[in-house]
């Protein structure tokens, strides 16, 4: 006689487990889609006289910080509010902000749009935290981000003439509206919890405040991603300052974006193999080596291409491993849902702070400051692993 008592994930149909996860990741990728068109969107704002070039860094920082705060806020309410309502609010805010008239203050409009996107990112972050294959799921999310951002950037680049800000915003609003098709696939709840194992009862101790090791690990994640994104943000100008011809820079950066997608696929294949903390340390060391070589020897010839593309590949191998590292540092899993928020906050703060503090000293100094953030993140990785709870009862 068939035993119907086993209702854990292993007995559930594969599609019933994967579809909600896929819907959550698609919604999260849509929430970050604006990052792929920021160069076009912000350039249009400048050309249309809505903002000055000097204020672009502040605008980017506000929008990315709003995504981070919206993500953390979404995660905080998912324990009490159905996931579909949180996602619907995120979609509504994104559409409303991108369809607001030009008379609305730009900083306010982008902050509202960012908070809506952040709610969608919170949906994805919560789903990743509940998954059993943390690194592979996080890598899949990064691949969806990179692929969708690359696709929309290439689509606009292929159009004749420069895209207006309103055209880009309308595209973001339409795509946000289309993601509403994912709402019926979301689970009724995405409250923080441990994934159910076949031989263990479900546990809800993933809710609550992270331990010290979790906070340190979140700080390490923020610094690492912020430093990597900071170097990427200045990469084009930096290569030009290092003597790379302007006509070579765009193809190099485009190839590096393809490298990011390749790195995410490699991370998916690696999955949970080995120790995530060790992978983070190794990949960060390789990134420092790439930056050091570019600083000392430049980006000439085929080796320069390989280094710039390799930067994208290694970046996307390192970032998903931060999710597994959070679990290693914080076996309670309480810090896991906030990993994406920490990374986004780092991406908002570190490049802006480095630019404000060191821009007058030259781009080499700005890049070195971001590389210093990478080194600091490695120190925090080791500190988080050293501070993790010794109680084996917290093991996931």
């Amino acid at each position: 006689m068939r035993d119907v008592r086993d209702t854990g994930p292993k007995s559930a149909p594969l599609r019933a487990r994967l579809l909600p996860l896929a819907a959550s990741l698609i919604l999260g990728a849509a929430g970050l889609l604006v990052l792929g068109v920021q160069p076009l969107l912000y350039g249009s704002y400048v050309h249309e006289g809505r903002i000055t070039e000097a204020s672009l860094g502040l605008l980017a920082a506000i929008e990315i910080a709003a995504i981070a705060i919206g993500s953390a806020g979404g995660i905080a309410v998912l324990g009490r509010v159905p996931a579909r309502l949180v996602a619907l609010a995120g979609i509504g805010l994104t559409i409303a902000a991108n369809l607001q008239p030009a008379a609305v203050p730009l900083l306010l409009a982008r902050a509202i749009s960012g908070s809506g996107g952040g709610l969608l990112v919170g949906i994805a972050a919560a789903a990743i935290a509940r998954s059993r294959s943390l690194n592979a799921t996080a890598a899949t999310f990064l691949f969806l981000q990179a692929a969708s951002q690359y696709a929309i950037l290439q689509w606009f680049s292929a159009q004749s003439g420069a895209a207006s800000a309103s055209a880009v915003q309308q595209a973001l609003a339409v795509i946000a509206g289309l993601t509403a098709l994912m709402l019926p696939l979301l689970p009724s709840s995405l409250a923080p919890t441990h994934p159910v194992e076949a031989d263990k009862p479900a546990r809800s101790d993933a809710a609550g405040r992270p331990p010290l090791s979790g906070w340190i690990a979140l700080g390490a994640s923020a610094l690492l991603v912020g430093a990597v994104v900071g170097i990427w943000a200045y990469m084009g100008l930096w290569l030009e300052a290092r003597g790379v011809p302007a006509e070579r820079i765009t193809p190099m950066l485009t190839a590096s974006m393809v490298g990011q997608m390749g790195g995410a696929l490699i991370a998916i294949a690696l999955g949970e193999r080995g120790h995530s903390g060790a992978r983070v340390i190794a990949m960060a060391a390789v990134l420092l080596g790439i930056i050091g070589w570019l600083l000392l020897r430049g980006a000439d010839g085929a080796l320069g291409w390989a280094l710039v593309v390799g930067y994208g590949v290694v970046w996307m191998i390192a970032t998903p491993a931060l999710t597994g590292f959070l679990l290693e540092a914080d076996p309670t899993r309480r810090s896991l849902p906030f990993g994406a928020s920490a990374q986004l906050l780092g991406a908002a703060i570190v490049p802006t702070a480095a630019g404000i503090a060191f821009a007058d000293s030259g781009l080499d100094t700005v890049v070195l400051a971001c590389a210093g953030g990478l080194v600091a993140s490695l120190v925090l990785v080791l500190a988080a692993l050293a501070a993790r709870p010794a109680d084996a009862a917290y093991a996931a």
Side-chain angles (χ1 to χ4, degrees):
M1 182 176 178
R2 181 171 173 262
D3 188 354
V4 297
R5 291 175 298 173
D6 182 7
T7 59
K10 290 184 178 180
S11 65
L14 182 63
R15 186 169 63 177
R17 299 200 320 257
L18 291 183
L19 283 181
L21 178 60
S24 301
L25 298 185
I26 290 171
L27 284 165
L32 293 172
L33 193 61
V34 66
L35 301 182
V37 292
Q38 270 187 347
L40 292 177
L41 183 59
Y42 289 8
S44 297
Y45 290 150
V46 172
H47 294 149
E48 295 169 11
R50 298 185 64 186
I51 195 170
T52 64
E53 289 185 8
S55 301
L56 285 181
L58 175 62
L59 178 63
I62 287 175
E63 183 155 19
I64 298 174
I67 295 174
I69 294 169
S71 172
I75 291 164
V77 302
L78 277 171
R80 302 182 296 275
V81 179
R84 292 170 188 171
L85 287 181
V86 175
L88 185 60
I91 292 171
L93 284 173
T94 303
I95 293 174
N98 282 288
L99 295 183
Q100 285 178 352
V104 176
L106 185 59
L107 294 179
L108 175 62
R110 298 324 302 166
I112 294 173
S113 179
S115 63
L119 291 176
L120 299 180
V121 174
I123 294 289
I128 292 171
R130 290 163 59 95
S131 68
R132 295 207 301 265
S133 301
L134 289 174
N135 289 343
T137 306
T140 302
F141 183 41
L142 284 173
F143 176 79
L144 286 174
Q145 290 177 43
S148 59
Q149 292 169 17
Y150 178 81
I152 190 171
L153 183 59
Q154 291 301 306
W155 189 83
F156 274 111
S157 298
Q159 305 303 306
S160 57
S164 66
S166 62
V168 177
Q169 290 179 185
Q170 287 169 10
L172 292 172
V174 169
I175 293 172
L178 290 175
T179 61
L181 296 173
M182 299 293 107
L183 294 181
L185 301 178
L186 289 179
S188 57
S189 173
L190 279 172
T193 182
H194 286 283
V196 180
E197 302 287 349
D199 56 345
K200 298 179 184 179
R203 291 164 53 195
S204 61
D205 61 329
R209 187 171 297 180
L212 176 62
S213 60
W215 287 114
I216 298 174
L218 289 171
S221 300
L223 262 180
L224 191 146
V225 172
V228 172
V229 170
I231 294 170
W232 173 252
Y234 291 100
M235 183 73 77
L237 292 173
W238 182 43
L239 290 174
E240 187 174 355
R242 303 290 296 181
V244 178
E247 62 271 14
R248 286 183 58 204
I249 292 175
T250 298
M252 290 176 78
L253 296 181
T254 301
S256 188
M257 291 184 71
V258 176
Q260 292 172 31
M261 290 185 275
L265 291 175
I266 293 172
I268 293 172
L270 289 173
E272 316 308 306
R273 295 181 180 89
H275 293 283
S276 297
R279 190 185 304 174
V280 170
I281 293 171
M283 294 300 101
V286 174
L287 288 171
L288 286 171
I290 291 173
I291 297 307
W293 185 281
L294 289 172
L295 277 167
L296 295 174
R297 306 296 293 272
D300 295 330
L303 180 59
W305 275 83
L307 290 172
V308 174
V309 173
Y311 186 86
V313 173
V314 177
W315 169 10
M316 286 295 166
I317 295 175
T319 304
L322 288 171
T323 307
F325 156 67
L326 282 172
L327 179 59
E328 291 176 357
D330 174 16
T332 69
R333 303 180 77 99
R334 292 171 189 162
S335 61
L336 272 176
F338 298 99
S341 302
Q343 293 174 26
L344 287 164
L345 202 57
I349 293 174
V350 174
T352 306
I356 292 173
F358 301 105
D360 291 340
S361 301
L363 288 172
D364 281 358
T365 307
V366 175
V367 171
L368 278 173
C370 292
L374 264 178
V375 175
S377 73
L378 293 181
V379 174
L380 289 183
V381 167
L382 295 174
L385 293 175
R388 58 187 163 185
D391 189 350
Y394 283 116

